[in-house]
Amino acid sequence: METNVWPMTDLLLWLHIGFAIFALGPITAATMSTPRFIRAKDVGVLRYLHKTTRVYGVASVGVFLFGVLLGREFLSRPYLSVSMTLFIVAAVLLVMVDRDQGTAIRVLTSDSPDDDAKVQTGRIAALSGVIVLIWIVILVLMVWGDPV
């Protein structure tokens, strides 16, 4: 009797795509809009964006986890190795963005008028852009990586 593993593969694919949409989308929006609210010195919104970055950053681990489970038979293929490495790089960059968001909040809530979080604004904008580019490269690798 032959067992059918397709339902499990289909479930993993749905979970992988679902986590990618519902975790990476909000985290991208939160990190990309952070510099605008630092410049506006809107600490309330910055706190919300910082919390959003943390929550969806943790949820983005699901993208990686379900991707590894989905491709467990093909992990030796270069496009998967490159994609996983890039995802880890993006995760490290997200940790740096999270740190800079916290620093910007701390700076903007201090009594010192000297620091206006310009350093954090530029770094968050740059890192967020790199993260988005990494995710686009991963998407291209997943779609056109290996047709087998």
Side-chain angles (χ1 to χ4, degrees), residues 94-130:
L94 274 173
V95 169
M96 294 171 66
V97 168
D98 179 71
R99 178 204 60 201
D100 285 344
Q101 286 174 325
T103 302
I105 291 167
R106 192 170 52 256
V107 165
L108 292 175
T109 56
S110 74
D111 292 334
S112 174
D114 297 334
D115 196 350
D116 59 357
K118 281 186 180 177
V119 171
Q120 289 79 24
T121 302
R123 194 166 38 223
I124 290 170
L127 292 176
S128 297
V130 171

Side-chain angles (χ1 to χ4, degrees), residues 6-132:
W6 285 109
M8 179 58 80
T9 302
D10 289 346
L11 175 64
L12 290 174
L13 180 60
W14 279 103
L15 288 169
H16 179 63
I17 292 170
F19 268 88
I21 292 168
F22 294 111
L24 301 184
I27 201 169
T28 299
T31 59
M32 295 294 285
S33 60
T34 296
R36 177 182 327 135
F37 291 100
I38 292 174
R39 285 190 293 274
K41 299 183 181 187
D42 192 336
V43 177
V45 173
L46 285 174
R47 284 190 175 113
Y48 173 76
L49 293 173
H50 187 224
K51 183 177 181 179
T52 301
T53 300
R54 283 191 174 179
V55 168
Y56 287 102
V58 170
S60 71
V61 173
V63 178
F64 187 82
L65 175 68
F66 291 117
V68 168
L69 291 173
L70 184 63
R72 65 188 171 276
E73 298 171 15
F74 309 105
L75 292 178
S76 64
R77 296 198 176 160
Y79 79 101
L80 285 177
S81 297
V82 171
S83 295
M84 289 187 300
T85 302
L86 286 173
F87 193 91
I88 291 168
V89 169
V92 169
L93 294 177
L94 274 173
V95 169
M96 294 171 66
V97 168
D98 179 71
R99 178 204 60 201
D100 285 344
Q101 286 174 325
T103 302
I105 291 167
R106 192 170 52 256
V107 165
L108 292 175
T109 56
S110 74
D111 292 334
S112 174
D114 297 334
D115 196 350
D116 59 357
K118 281 186 180 177
V119 171
Q120 289 79 24
T121 302
R123 194 166 38 223
I124 290 170
L127 292 176
S128 297
V130 171
I131 292 167
V132 169

